[in-house]
Structures are given as C-alpha cells and as structure tokens.
Amino acid sequence: MLLGYCYKLRPNHHQSEKIDEWINLLRATYNWSLRDRIDTYYQRYCCGQYCDLQTKAVITPLVCLIGGASGEPWRENGKKRSPVEIQITNLPSLKKARPWYKDIDSTVLQQNLKQLNTAFDNFFKGRGFPKFKNRSRFRSFTYSMGVKLKGNKIYLPKLGWMKFYNSRPIPDGFKIKSVTVRKKADGYYVSLRIEDKSIPAFPVKNLEEIQTITGLDMGLGKLVYCSDKSAIDNPKFATNKTAKRLQKIRQRRVSRKNKYSKNKQKAQQRLSRFQHKIAVKREAYQWQTAKKIVDKSDSIAVEDLQISNMIKRCKPKYDEKTGRFLKNGQSAKRALNRLIADASWYSLTQKIEYMAAKSGKIVLRVNPRCTSQQCSVCHHIDPANREGEKFLCMNCGHIDDANFQASLNIKNKAINQYQLNIKNRTSSKKKCGDKVGRDLPEPKQLTLFETPTNELTLDKRKHHYARMSKRSEPGNLLRQLDLFDQENNPRNSATL
Ligand SMILES: [Zn+2]
C-alpha cells in the first residue's frame, strides 16, 4: 500500500536559507536541461541520422527525436541510454565545472532531471509541452533515499536533522519511498511517500457486490446534493463577502507599491499567505466532505464534468461595420466562473475517489448529459422541465427540487450503465403509477415547492433587522428603560 503523508517543517535559519539556495540552483539546471533537450530535438530532426552515424542502430525518428545531447548516450555494452540517463551521466561534469552544485544531494539532482522526463512523457501522452520555470513555478525538490525519521525530527541528507510538526504518526511497517520538500507561502513542508509491501493495495469491490449507491450532483448553492435528499453546504471560502473584500484590499496594496521594492515583496507575501490560508481551509473541508459522502454507501456515482470548459471565457463579439467590441456577457459570467473555481469540484471528486478506494468502495463516472432535464419518474427529457431550482415534469407532473432530481438521475444512470442490481431501486418507481395532474397536485408534493430556503431568508431578514436596529441606537434601549422603571423590575426591588 502506498500512502502520502504531509508535515510542516521547522528549519532553522541556516537550513531555510540553504533550501532556498537549492531551489534556485535546481531551477537553473532544470531550465538548462530543458533547453538541452529542445536543442537536440532540432539538431536530430534536421540531421535526420544522428543515431545512425554513431551505432548504425535502426531507430524510428518518432522514438528518438527528443533526447539529451550533453552526456554520454552509449553504454559500455553498446546499448543506447534513455534521454534522462544521458543527462544524469552529465551530472559529474556539471559538479566539476560548477563546484557549488556539490553541496546538493546527488539523488535530488537526479530526481530533478527525472521530473523533466515525466514532463516530456506527459507531453507525449498529449498534454502540454514542458515549460521553462520561473521562481513562482519551481518550489520543490525530491529525495529518493537517505531520509530518516526520529520522533519529531527528520534527517534530510546534506541539510541535516530538522524539526517538524509531527501532526500524525506514520503507521508501523511503512517505509519511506521518496520525500519532497516544498516551499509554500507560510513556510516549508515535507511530503513523504510511504509504502508497506506486505499490505495489499486498496481492495476493490466487484460491480456485482454493490448493494447501495449514492448519486451526487455538484452545485453552487449547496456544494453537493446527494440522492438520499441530503445536501452539503458550500462555504465559498474564496468568494464570500469578507474574503473577496480582503483579497481586493491585499491585491490593491501590492499593485500600488513600487516595482522591485522591499515593500512590494512584503505586500505580495501577505497576499499569498492569505490565499494559502483559504486553500488550506478548502482542502480540509473537502476531506471532511469526502469522508461523509463515502460513508453513505457502497458506491458513489458522479458526473464526468469537463470543468475547464465550463469556466471558459465568453467569445468576444465584434460589430462588423465599426470593428468595435460589443457586450458578450463576460462580466456576468466572470462571477459564476469564480464560484465554480472556488467550489473546485474536480479536486473534491478526486478526494472522494481516494477515500472510496481506501475503504474498498467504487466511484462510478456518468455522462452528465441531460441529467438536470430528465424526469426521474417517467424519464421524459425536456429543457422546460427545469425552472431554476424547481423541477416540474411536463409529461407526468412530478414535482421536486431540481438539484435532487439531477442526483437521482445520476444514480439511475449509473445503475443502468454499469448493470448494477441494487435491491431498493429508488422509491420513486412506486409513485409512477398514480399520476398527478398539473391542476390538482397532491398537497404532500406541493410542500416540496415551498423550499425551506424561503423560510431561511425570512429568518435571516429578521435577524438582519434586529442587528441593524441595535446598531442605530446607543446601547439597548429596552434594558435602559428597565433600570429606571423600578416598580416593574424584580431585580431592583429584590436588592432594595
Ligand atoms: Zn415525469
């Protein structure tokens, strides 16, 4: 079993300076190696037969295009090294030319190059081309061996023993596989990958074993709507009123300081600490939410959303005659985009998947098409079924909350798609028999229309007025009158 544990480090002044220095040096080698690989790509691409010249080996151009030029490409037995291995063979000469690299642990230097290689691997799989990293993009390095733990101290090779906040103990039998030191806005963190080979990887249930299932619909009013009619609040950590205001102030303070000044740096640090705090809160809340959801049932059905498409900007509109820009509705969409980004559904589903895997449960993904327009009773699909939060089926007159309707649809979709045999398949099937006319809706179902949110807003309004009235008057008027009105005041009469 492979697990990840993260702790906050407590380096002394000397050590933190060293970490900063290492990150800078490693960034330089990373960028240099990236340039190296790009250059060789062009060289070989132009010459065509770079490999042929040296070994006469038959290599298809697609495989061999991108490799490291500096370093020794050939092994002693005449076989070809991979691009990372070539660049690793170059490390001793790097240390010779630039002796300050000798201070850095050798596994860290190697891992740095391997990271670049994974970036290229990802590129070959169809993701973006590796980027050159600036200071804000490159903030970590990785050890692959030599790290020791003892109580609340950790030994990092060439950095020495360092204290850390031992927030949770590592389970017995687990061994450290790799260690990453990361710089964040409020200090340094270390994340350990630990492994115990005797424990098998997460047990996974077969689809036939599934007894219960919960459908989840991600939303903004509430974060998650479950098909068992429960919902989880959306705290909106970055988009609530106070956070937005503070963010704006901090941002403004940064932008008004002189460029390259110490004060600007300080303001920037304050801003990023604030953003870091929000991120930490969100992370913690998502873990709790994921735990709650996973505990509900054997399997969880979620929509397979493309969130990056949802938060795209609107396309610009032009006036063809004058060439001017017209309003395209982006200003209205921006707020929505920010809300979606703040809710971060993707990382929540990732956490749900991790928690589910840990407790031997399954997460099923479902195509999100028409989940909010379909009636869960008669399966009638019509965009007119939904009107904001309300759902009213145009075919059978079924009334429900639109979000819960969507979660039910997701659940049913998962059952059909994965051929699950759930025993109590949605109680709504029973209701299908007695149709409800549009003019004569059943009183029981009508109450669903009066969503509790209505009452809540009333309550909130009352609360608001109460607070406002208190503020407008000095002190509490009723209580003041009370003191003078001695006849009616039991407290005063008692003391007298
Ligand atoms: Zn219907």
Side-chain angles (χ1 to χ4, degrees):
M1 189 189 273
L2 198 67
L3 295 172
Y5 275 44
C6 191
Y7 302 99
K8 189 171 182 185
L9 282 173
R10 296 165 63 192
N12 58 31
H13 183 65
H14 185 65
Q15 284 166 333
S16 59
E17 258 181 6
K18 226 174 181 182
I19 294 174
D20 285 348
E21 196 188 321
W22 281 25
I23 289 175
N24 267 337
L25 290 174
L26 289 168
R27 189 166 60 87
T29 43
Y30 184 93
N31 286 336
W32 189 87
S33 311
L34 175 56
R35 167 52 65 197
D36 184 40
R37 285 186 79 158
I38 293 170
D39 282 347
T40 36
Y41 167 73
Y42 283 118
Q43 274 175 24
R44 289 179 189 193
Y45 192 68
C46 295
C47 301
Q49 280 128 11
Y50 178 88
C51 307
D52 263 4
L53 288 174
Q54 291 210 5
T55 56
K56 293 163 194 161
V58 186
I59 295 161
T60 55
L62 273 178
V63 177
C64 151
L65 277 182
I66 299 185
S70 55
E72 184 49 49
W74 310 108
R75 267 178 219 186
E76 282 166 13
N77 57 8
K79 277 187 180 172
K80 193 175 179 292
R81 286 196 169 101
S82 72
V84 218
E85 287 164 344
I86 296 169
Q87 287 192 326
I88 286 173
T89 56
N90 197 32
L91 284 176
S93 57
L94 169 79
K95 282 180 189 170
K96 216 179 240 173
R98 297 181 169 80
W100 48 91
Y101 275 97
K102 280 180 194 167
D103 288 340
I104 301 177
D105 186 60
S106 58
T107 61
V108 172
L109 279 168
Q110 286 171 18
Q111 287 295 323
N112 190 33
L113 294 176
K114 280 179 189 167
Q115 230 169 44
L116 174 66
N117 194 48
T118 40
F120 268 103
D121 284 346
N122 286 337
F123 166 63
F124 295 138
K125 280 175 197 162
R127 271 166 254 168
F129 194 81
K131 278 176 183 160
F132 288 99
K133 306 234 173 180
N134 61 14
R135 268 167 207 275
S136 58
R137 276 183 184 277
F138 193 98
R139 314 197 82 184
S140 67
F141 56 84
T142 306
Y143 287 98
S144 59
M145 57 199 285
V147 178
K148 283 178 267 180
L149 274 176
K150 199 176 182 188
N152 65 344
K153 280 184 177 176
I154 184 168
Y155 178 75
L156 300 168
K158 299 241 174 165
L159 284 174
W161 285 96
M162 199 183 288
K163 281 184 183 174
F164 70 99
Y165 294 99
N166 198 353
S167 44
R168 58 170 178 170
I170 285 176
D172 287 335
F174 277 86
K175 277 178 186 165
I176 298 169
K177 246 197 132 191
S178 71
V179 173
T180 302
V181 178
R182 194 164 277 125
K183 191 184 180 185
K184 286 187 182 174
D186 70 333
Y188 301 90
Y189 288 78
V190 64
S191 43
L192 314 171
R193 276 168 78 81
I194 49 175
E195 191 180 34
D196 190 350
K197 279 180 183 161
S198 59
I199 302 173
F202 306 125
V204 177
K205 265 187 187 168
N206 286 325
L207 287 176
E208 292 96 48
E209 285 176 47
I210 295 170
Q211 298 285 329
T212 50
I213 183 169
T214 317
L216 301 183
D217 182 44
M218 306 285 180
L220 292 173
K222 299 265 180 187
L223 188 59
V224 181
Y225 296 89
C226 304
S227 58
D228 59 355
K229 300 268 166 176
S230 63
I232 288 160
D233 278 332
N234 185 6
K236 296 181 185 168
F237 290 108
T239 42
N240 62 32
K241 212 173 168 187
T242 30
K244 255 157 98 183
R245 185 167 164 268
L246 256 177
Q247 163 111 350
K248 204 173 169 186
I249 292 169
R250 295 269 148 89
Q251 190 73 59
R252 188 168 57 209
R253 281 185 185 161
V254 174
S255 65
R256 297 220 172 139
K257 300 275 187 307
N258 286 333
K259 212 175 177 183
Y260 306 124
S261 68
K262 264 268 151 63
N263 279 331
K264 181 153 193 156
Q265 234 179 55
K266 280 184 210 162
Q268 181 63 51
Q269 269 173 9
R270 202 160 287 160
L271 171 68
S272 44
R273 265 207 300 275
F274 170 72
Q275 284 165 343
H276 175 75
K277 237 181 196 173
I278 288 172
V280 167
K281 275 184 205 167
R282 189 192 291 131
E283 198 89 331
Y285 186 77
Q286 284 187 340
W287 280 118
Q288 289 163 10
T289 311
K291 181 83 175 66
K292 259 186 220 166
I293 288 167
V294 169
D295 283 345
K296 279 182 186 190
S297 59
D298 285 353
S299 62
I300 295 112
V302 291
E303 281 176 302
D304 200 4
L305 293 172
Q306 279 290 327
I307 290 149
S308 56
N309 286 348
M310 289 169 78
I311 54 178
K312 258 182 194 161
R313 292 176 69 89
C314 302
K315 275 183 187 167
K317 273 187 193 169
Y318 304 101
D319 192 340
E320 284 186 7
K321 280 177 191 167
T322 56
R324 279 189 162 188
F325 284 105
L326 296 173
K327 282 192 176 178
N328 62 346
Q330 175 58 36
S331 60
K333 200 180 175 237
R334 187 171 57 191
L336 182 71
N337 285 354
R338 282 182 184 168
L339 273 176
I340 293 171
D342 187 22
S344 50
W345 297 320
Y346 183 73
S347 69
L348 179 60
T349 41
Q350 269 187 326
K351 288 183 179 92
I352 291 171
E353 268 181 346
Y354 178 82
M355 287 303 240
K358 221 175 163 185
S359 46
K361 293 171 181 179
I362 302 180
V363 173
L364 305 168
R365 288 182 180 275
V366 163
N367 188 351
R369 230 191 130 157
C370 299
T371 44
S372 62
Q373 296 169 1
Q374 198 177 18
C375 171
S376 68
V377 179
C378 67
H379 305 296
H380 173 68
I381 299 173
D382 190 351
N385 282 351
R386 186 174 178 170
E387 194 192 324
E389 298 280 296
K390 293 166 195 166
F391 188 90
L392 172 59
C393 180
M394 289 301 183
N395 188 28
C396 72
H398 174 66
I399 300 168
D400 201 350
D401 187 294
N403 293 303
F404 289 119
Q405 193 60 216
S407 63
L408 268 176
N409 284 330
I410 292 164
K411 179 182 170 183
N412 290 340
K413 249 188 173 181
I415 292 172
N416 291 334
Q417 192 178 329
Y418 294 94
Q419 309 272 315
L420 309 176
N421 45 359
I422 308 289
K423 279 171 190 169
N424 47 350
R425 251 189 96 161
T426 58
S427 51
S428 58
K429 270 252 160 185
K430 286 177 200 166
K431 285 178 197 167
C432 202
D434 43 54
K435 278 190 180 176
V436 186
R438 285 198 94 184
D439 305 324
L440 293 165
E442 272 185 15
K444 251 191 183 177
Q445 286 188 332
L446 244 188
T447 50
L448 280 170
F449 247 138
E450 296 163 9
T451 41
T453 47
N454 236 344
E455 291 167 26
L456 266 179
T457 45
L458 248 178
D459 251 4
K460 266 185 189 169
R461 210 178 291 158
K462 269 185 199 165
H463 191 67
H464 177 73
Y465 282 133
R467 271 173 64 195
M468 290 300 283
S469 63
K470 253 186 208 169
R471 250 183 226 167
S472 60
E473 288 153 10
N476 195 333
L477 238 160
L478 271 176
R479 208 166 156 208
Q480 279 179 8
L481 280 176
D482 228 55
L483 288 170
F484 293 104
D485 192 10
Q486 293 198 345
E487 278 173 30
N488 294 339
N489 198 336
R491 228 192 316 163
N492 277 0
S493 54
T495 48
L496 282 169

